[in-house]
Amino acid sequence: SAMALRPQVCAQLCRRPCYCPWVPPRCPRGSPLVLDGCGCCKICARRLGEPCDFLHVCDQSQGLVCDYSTVPAGTGATCNFEDDEEGCEVNGRVYRDGEVFQPSCKLQCRCLDGGFTCVPLCQEDVRLPTPDCPYPRRVEVPGKCCPEWICEARDRHLLRDAGAASPPLPYPCQEWGTEWSACSATCGVGFSTRVSNQNRYCRLETQRRLCMVRPCPALPAAFP
């Protein structure tokens, strides 16, 4: 087993006394400085899905261990959860499989099978010019997460919520929509789109959600 090889590997890789760079490496966000496998020099902990070995250890604070189960396939060891659960990493933070999270007030995401999908929490309706609102424009409003429609008149500005201009329908909306498109990226974060009228005002709108089929393969780290 990998654990049985540790003393032999240690004798081959670990030199005494330690010879470390004067300046410790600058780590990417979400990768803390830790001691290497020899307990000698400070290195950046490897994150979920990144390559690892005896010397280049995984981030134990995130529950990651060096997973050697893929070694016979010739792909090398990678950092994985100790209990073999799938997870996903967003902005340097690792989420467990099935966990729902909000990276911003505009998005709600769910971690699923090593990737994640997100749905917007703000409406993406389209507002066409009307006689009472000839110049509709969407603007960010201080203190509010979602942008709102503003009706620009020549002599004054009127802030109008989309709901004020279009009251909810008095009859049931006959739902119509296309299927979600394929993810725009084969690895890493992309987005899929659909056209649907499944909203409060039964208007056709283009809806988007983030998606990730699988993480992109990590680049091999250069030795110091």
Side-chain angles (χ1 to χ4, degrees), residues 45-129:
R46 297 296 170 92
R47 297 173 294 180
L48 182 67
E50 291 184 340
C52 58
D53 51 34
F54 170 76
L55 205 57
H56 301 89
V57 296
C58 302
D59 185 1
Q60 293 182 353
S61 68
Q62 294 280 2
L64 301 177
V65 293
C66 199
D67 183 6
Y68 289 88
S69 61
T70 53
V71 172
T75 54
T78 55
C79 292
N80 205 346
F81 286 113
E82 195 167 6
D83 52 5
D84 291 327
E85 281 188 19
E86 290 286 348
C88 52
E89 182 181 1
V90 182
N91 293 333
R93 183 175 167 188
V94 177
Y95 297 93
R96 295 299 179 107
D97 190 52
E99 187 173 352
V100 176
F101 59 96
Q102 282 186 225
S104 77
C105 62
K106 293 185 171 86
L107 284 177
Q108 179 171 292
C109 304
R110 180 185 177 89
C111 180
L112 195 63
D113 297 331
F116 61 89
T117 57
C118 300
V119 291
L121 298 176
C122 297
Q123 278 196 324
E124 294 188 359
D125 58 331
V126 175
R127 183 136 189 219
L128 299 176

Side-chain angles (χ1 to χ4, degrees), residues 208-223:
R208 297 178 182 85
R209 67 180 182 185
L210 293 177
C211 54
M212 184 170 74
V213 179
R214 61 185 177 86
C216 289
L219 295 173
F223 283 90

Side-chain angles (χ1 to χ4, degrees), residues 111-182:
C111 180
L112 195 63
D113 297 331
F116 61 89
T117 57
C118 300
V119 291
L121 298 176
C122 297
Q123 278 196 324
E124 294 188 359
D125 58 331
V126 175
R127 183 136 189 219
L128 299 176
T130 56
D132 65 325
C133 185
Y135 305 106
R137 191 164 63 91
R138 212 169 204 168
V139 295
E140 298 286 342
V141 180
K144 293 193 176 182
C145 175
C146 298
E148 293 186 3
W149 287 102
I150 188 171
C151 293
E152 288 192 346
R154 290 180 182 176
D155 54 346
R156 69 184 187 275
H157 292 271
L158 289 174
L159 183 66
R160 293 204 177 177
D161 194 327
S166 303
L169 299 172
Y171 54 88
C173 175
Q174 184 174 357
E175 291 187 354
W176 184 90
T178 62
E179 294 293 321
W180 286 105
S181 68

